[in-house]
Structures are given as C-alpha cells and as structure tokens.
C-alpha cells in the first residue's frame, strides 16, 4: 500500500501468504505473483545442513508490477471530501468517481460509509462504487432524452402538455411537485426533471428501443474492469417489465446500476456520444523493467454527436437554473443531472 490506506478499496489486500484476496490484488494475482526458485543443499546424518553446500538450481523470477490509472493525490482528495460531506449532512455513505472523458482512465474511485458500531465515517475496504447497485433515479433521464434525440424523434424544442400526475397501468405516477397542466419542451423536461414529461419522450421510442439504448449505455452488464465482485445491476428485458415498470425505467426506477456503470453511461454524453469503457490498469512492468502498455479502452458509438451536444447543453441548464444548482462552480461550465433513488 504505497499511499497508506489511500485507494485501499481498489488495490485490495493479500492474505498472510501474499495471495491476493480482494481488489486488484485478487484480480491480477497471477500477474503479480512471481515464480519461486530452487535450492539444493547437503545435510548431515543428524539432519543439519552442511555449510557451504547450498547450490541454487533455479533462480526465482519476480512477478510483474501494475501501473494504475489512479492519481494518488486525486484519490486522497476525493476520499477526504467524501468523509467531510457525509459527516456534514449525516448520510449513510457516498461514492465518487473521477474519470478521464476521452480514455476512460479512472483517476479516483472512492467509497465511504458510516461504521454501524462506532458511528464514525471511514473509507471502506470494499469498492462499493463497483459492487453496490441502486436505482439511479432521475439521472437516467439523460439516457432517455439523448436516445430520443439521436433517433430524431424529438428536438430540444419539441413540447408536450404535461400534467403533474397521470395514470399508467395500475399506478398513478406523479412529478416531484404539483403543477397545472403546462407545455414543456424536451429541454425544460430535463431541466425541471419532469417524470411525466420523460415518460412521454420514452413512449415516442417504445420500451424495446429504449431498453436497447440503456444496454448500449452500459447498464445491465459488468464493465470492462471486471472488478472482483462487480455487480451487473438490474436491467430487465422489455418483455419482462410489468405494469408501470414499463414507463418508470424512463426516469430510473425499476432499473439498478452501480456508480461505475452510471459514470460511464453519462460520460458517453461528455464524450460526444461515444461510450468508452472504464480503465484502471495503464501498463505492466516486467521483472526486467520493461513497460507494456495495456490496450486502449473499448469504445462504441451510442448516440449521435449532435444528440450528445444537445443533451450536454440541457445538462448545463440543469446546473444553471434547474434541479442541480448546488453543483455550480465559479469559473467553470458544469453539466450535470440530479437524481433521487
């Protein structure tokens, strides 16, 4: 642990014999572990070794080292900020991920939780950002609206007459607050985070097409990290959705994702509509010091560049005037989306 406990949920640990049992230590144990050597020695009849008789018949070979994408300073800062904020607001815990938009390289991935016994907040040994799944809530509206834009079914100016509540199947679904029937553009639907408006956009696609897009954004499957214990989340087939689930998935209920899946999905918008798989290992270093870079992260286009740009602009409005104004940072242009699980 070169940085103390910093990044311990990702690096993982070994048992007393040096065998990886969690995190990257477990995942890459075969690469990190070297090959033992062999020694021959002569012993006297009483079983004692005869001095000077040892002969090395096979030299030991060191294992490879891993060069991680993590930035130790960013990882430490992320952990400390989370500890401060969860303590301030009394949350059960929090996760945060910092990722390079173009390459998918993860600069930090931190999880903190409140200790059930002591009540103190601590950086976890488990990588909850990758192994814990939850309903993403309204963050998923970004996927729904970007997908409809990409298919040319709507534009940011397309408007719907949106009530504050509406019956869908057996459930009466509502927006977050009561309001009169009002005309809302697609841009306003995302900015104001209207559940009913988002359902109207999803119904332009149909739930089968919408489900295909959610899968293309990386939901419902492990990421390319293949981190030990990583959750696939929950993404049902369209035909397996029942009742109001068929529409609530449009705004992130009836579907579950990890923080890792969600950051990769939203990064698709930042990356001009191209999904890039998250990455933790940049290179390996052999026993002779030779450095071998790992392959670039797999990528695939999900939505058009125009749809990504339009969605990005809407997400800027979310931070400027919508539901995520607390995310504003002086001097920076921030695009975001708030979501309640």
């Amino acid at each position: 642990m070169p940085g103390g406990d910093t990044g311990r949920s990702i690096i993982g640990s070994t048992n007393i014999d040096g065998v990886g049992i969690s995190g990257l230590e477990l995942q890459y144990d075969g690469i990190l572990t070297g090959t033992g050597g062999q020694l021959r020695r002569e012993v006297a009849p009483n079983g004692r070794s005869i001095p000077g008789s040892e002969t090395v018949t096979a030299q030991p070979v060191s294992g490879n080292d891993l060069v991680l994408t993590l930035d130790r300073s960013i990882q430490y800062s992320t952990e400390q900020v989370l500890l401060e904020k969860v303590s301030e607001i009394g949350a059960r815990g929090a996760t945060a991920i910092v990722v390079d938009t173009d390459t998918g390289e993860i600069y930090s991935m931190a999880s903190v939780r409140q200790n059930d016994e002591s009540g103190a907040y601590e950086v976890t040994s488990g990588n909850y950002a990758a192994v814990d799944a939850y309903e993403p809530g309204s963050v998923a509206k970004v996927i729904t609206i970007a997908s409809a834009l990409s298919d040319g079914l709507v534009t940011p100016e397309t408007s719907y007459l949106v009530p504050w509540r509406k019956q869908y199947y057996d459930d009466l679904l509502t927006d977050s607050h009561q309001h009169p029937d009002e005309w809302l553009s697609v841009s306003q639907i995302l900015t104001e985070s209207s559940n009913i408006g988002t359902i109207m956009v999803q119904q332009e696609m149909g739930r089968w097409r919408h489900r295909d897009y959610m899968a293309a954004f990386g939901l419902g499957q492990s990421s390319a990290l293949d981190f030990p214990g990583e959750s696939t989340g929950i993404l049902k087939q369209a035909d397996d959705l029942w009742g109001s689930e068929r529409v609530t998935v449009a705004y992130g209920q009836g579907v579950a994702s990890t923080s890792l899946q969600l950051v990769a999905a939203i990064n698709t918008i930042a990356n001009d509509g191209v999904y890039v798989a998250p990455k933790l290992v940049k290179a390996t270093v052999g026993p002779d010091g030779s450095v071998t870079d790992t392959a670039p992260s797999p990528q695939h286009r999900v939505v058009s560049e125009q749809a990504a740009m339009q969605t990005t602009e809407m997400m800027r409005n979310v931070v400027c005037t919508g539901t995520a104004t607390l995310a504003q940072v002086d001097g920076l242009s921030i695009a975001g989306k708030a979501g309640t699980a």
Side-chain angles (χ1 to χ4, degrees), residues 188-208:
Q188 290 171 316
I189 286 170
L190 188 64
T191 300
E192 298 180 18
S193 202
S194 168
N195 294 337
I196 305 302
T198 304
I199 291 173
M200 292 176 169
V201 174
Q202 183 226 25
Q203 290 183 322
E204 298 280 4
M205 288 184 287
R207 65 178 185 271
W208 294 271

Side-chain angles (χ1 to χ4, degrees), residues 86-241:
V86 295
S87 178
E88 178 183 315
I89 66 176
R92 176 171 175 253
T95 61
I97 301 172
V98 180
V99 62
D100 181 89
T101 296
D102 300 324
T103 65
E105 292 183 357
I106 296 173
Y107 294 152
S108 72
M109 181 160 52
S111 306
V112 303
R113 284 282 175 93
Q114 187 175 31
N115 188 296
D116 292 334
E117 296 180 1
S118 67
Y121 290 101
E122 56 191 20
V123 177
T124 61
S125 57
N127 186 11
Y128 288 110
V131 305
D132 222 9
Y134 58 94
E135 287 187 319
S138 293
V139 180
K141 292 172 183 173
V142 172
I143 294 174
T144 302
I145 288 177
S147 302
L149 288 168
S150 187
D151 275 358
L153 300 171
V154 298
T155 70
E157 293 76 32
T158 301
S159 294
Y160 298 90
L161 184 59
V162 180
W164 81 275
R165 63 182 178 180
K166 188 173 181 181
Q167 186 80 28
Y168 290 95
Y169 305 97
D170 294 333
D171 291 317
L172 185 62
L173 304 179
T174 70
D175 276 348
S176 61
H177 61 282
Q178 189 171 346
H179 60 78
D181 293 0
E182 57 183 338
W183 285 96
L184 294 178
S185 68
V186 170
S187 180
Q188 290 171 316
I189 286 170
L190 188 64
T191 300
E192 298 180 18
S193 202
S194 168
N195 294 337
I196 305 302
T198 304
I199 291 173
M200 292 176 169
V201 174
Q202 183 226 25
Q203 290 183 322
E204 298 280 4
M205 288 184 287
R207 65 178 185 271
W208 294 271
R209 180 64 173 161
H210 180 240
R211 198 271 177 194
D212 289 342
Y213 266 115
M214 287 194 290
F217 272 96
L219 302 187
Q221 56 200 299
S222 297
S223 73
L225 288 187
D226 197 26
F227 195 85
E230 183 178 338
S231 171
T232 60
I234 299 171
L235 180 63
K236 295 180 181 179
Q237 295 293 333
D239 289 331
D240 294 331
L241 296 170

